[in-house]
Amino acid sequence: MGLELIVMTSLVLLWMAKTTSAGLNVSLAKEGCQAWCGGIRIPYPFGIGANCYINAMYSVECRRDKLYLTLLTGIKLEVLNMSVDSFAQFNGFAQVNNPILSRSCPGGNGSSDVVHGNTIVDLTGSPFTFSERSNVFISVGCNNHASVTNLVDRTTAQCISICDGSPDRDNSCFGINCCQTTPPGNLSYHLRVFNVNLSRIETYNQSGGVHEPCMYAFLVDKDWFRYNLTDPFAIRGMDHVPAMLEWNLFTMEPSQLGIPKYGGGSCGKELYEPSSNIHGVYCFCYSGYEGNPYLPYGCRGTFILGSSLLYFKVHL
């Protein structure tokens, strides 16, 4: 009579779903502070009221269910989206409404010296910069010469569009009725304030081209432009388009945040603006964790529980 012993091992894994800010509707705001304005989240270090933001540069306003950045220059920018996620070079981001510049449009008698729209949005003295990698500078129109100048280091980017009377248009903007260029700016001189110039490269001819006297220019979120405007002339009648801003904790130290050391996230320091030797603080959640790293224990993640069960089968 033989003895057979069979050992079977089963590992049971219990995967606990990610405890995300979206899944459990966890607030990204400081405790006791307004967490939403309309459909826009308000993540700390931003907030409404002196006890809800980290300092005055991160103060926001909620008016008629619309969220606004309140810049020290007096300009208010409507916020379309805001995130504490590491977006580019350890920066968070904010998507805002940015003005469109137009020239020679009906209503201004078609005169070349009539300009509509705010030509300058100044982010000086704020923690925000225009994202060079996520925005694109666009000019729409016939025989346009458009330029955008970084007013900090005076670098300029420009593009030219020629005329085409074809009704078939797309948003490729490679020089036919529409052109594009990368906005000026670099790690040493971030784009905080710029000026736009629009001019004709030749006399406009109503018998040719797209029969469009207007010239348009704007800095825009390139993904929004790509996926939302199949025809660049759809910006007729629009005053603003979405643009991307980057931010971090300007001129601060990690110790000022009071973030304890824990497994979910961490804060660091980087040279934010080399030309001015200005440092900034960025925080992030580790892989597998989500939430707001700027709050104590604000990053939440996944856990795996395991157990082993042994089964014996004996034959005599």
Side-chain angles (χ1 to χ4, degrees):
M1 183 179 297
L3 176 65
E4 181 183 5
L5 176 63
I6 301 177
V7 180
M8 299 168 55
T9 303
S10 175
L11 179 64
V12 179
L13 298 179
L14 302 178
W15 183 270
M16 299 180 67
K18 283 185 177 181
T19 308
T20 66
S21 56
L24 295 182
N25 200 28
V26 175
S27 174
L28 299 182
K30 189 176 179 181
E31 185 177 359
C33 297
Q34 184 172 336
W36 292 85
C37 177
I40 309 298
R41 283 184 180 270
I42 306 173
Y44 186 78
F46 300 92
I48 299 174
N51 295 322
C52 293
Y53 51 72
I54 195 166
N55 65 50
M57 289 195 293
Y58 301 86
S59 172
V60 293
E61 291 183 5
C62 184
R63 291 187 283 128
R64 297 180 181 178
D65 287 335
K66 291 185 177 181
L67 188 65
Y68 294 88
L69 299 178
T70 54
L71 303 179
L72 297 179
T73 54
I75 296 174
K76 297 184 185 295
L77 294 176
E78 182 184 354
V79 179
L80 306 176
N81 193 13
M82 184 175 286
S83 175
V84 292
D85 295 334
S86 294
F87 171 64
Q89 295 184 331
F90 304 109
N91 295 331
F93 77 87
Q95 187 187 54
V96 300
N97 261 340
N98 197 47
I100 295 173
L101 178 69
S102 60
R103 190 169 188 174
S104 303
C105 293
N109 298 321
S111 174
S112 62
D113 60 354
V114 176
V115 177
H116 302 276
N118 189 348
T119 59
I120 296 179
V121 174
D122 192 350
L123 302 178
T124 302
S126 81
F128 300 100
T129 63
F130 291 99
S131 175
E132 295 99 9
R133 66 180 64 198
S134 297
N135 293 316
V136 63
F137 178 70
I138 298 284
S139 180
V140 177
C142 178
N143 286 346
N144 287 5
H145 177 209
S147 64
V148 53
T149 301
N150 186 337
L151 295 184
V152 177
D153 66 351
R154 310 305 300 184
T155 55
T156 297
Q158 55 190 327
C159 69
I160 292 175
S161 65
I162 61 175
C163 300
D164 182 3
S166 170
D168 298 326
R169 303 177 190 138
D170 59 39
N171 63 355
S172 59
C173 287
F174 289 142
I176 307 297
N177 299 325
C178 181
C179 64
Q180 63 176 299
T181 184
T182 302
N186 53 59
L187 292 179
S188 295
Y189 295 97
H190 290 297
L191 186 60
R192 292 184 181 276
V193 56
F194 61 88
N195 188 47
V196 173
N197 183 63
L198 270 172
S199 61
R200 264 328 157 203
I201 57 176
E202 62 182 49
T203 303
Y204 179 75
N205 184 355
Q206 186 66 28
S207 65
V210 293
H211 305 293
E212 173 61 60
C214 279
M215 298 181 287
Y216 304 93
F218 46 91
L219 192 70
V220 63
D221 177 350
K222 62 183 179 182
D223 287 336
W224 181 90
F225 185 79
R226 176 182 179 185
Y227 296 113
N228 290 274
L229 288 183
T230 56
D231 178 359
F233 282 96
I235 54 99
R236 289 191 192 101
M238 296 173 60
D239 295 322
H240 299 83
V241 289
M244 299 295 283
L245 307 183
E246 298 180 17
W247 63 269
N248 70 12
L249 296 181
F250 199 50
T251 68
M252 294 189 67
E253 298 287 338
S255 59
Q256 293 177 265
L257 290 175
I259 302 294
K261 291 184 178 180
Y262 68 110
S266 182
C267 294
K269 179 179 176 180
E270 69 166 347
L271 188 59
Y272 184 54
E273 201 163 87
S275 61
S276 304
N277 198 30
I278 293 176
H279 288 79
V281 172
Y282 63 91
C283 296
F284 61 96
C285 293
Y286 292 128
S287 177
Y289 291 80
E290 296 184 21
N292 188 344
Y294 294 90
L295 292 171
Y297 301 103
C299 299
R300 305 189 182 190
T302 60
F303 303 88
I304 298 177
L305 301 180
S307 63
S308 295
L309 303 179
L310 299 179
Y311 298 90
F312 296 91
K313 184 177 180 180
V314 177
H315 295 282
L316 297 175

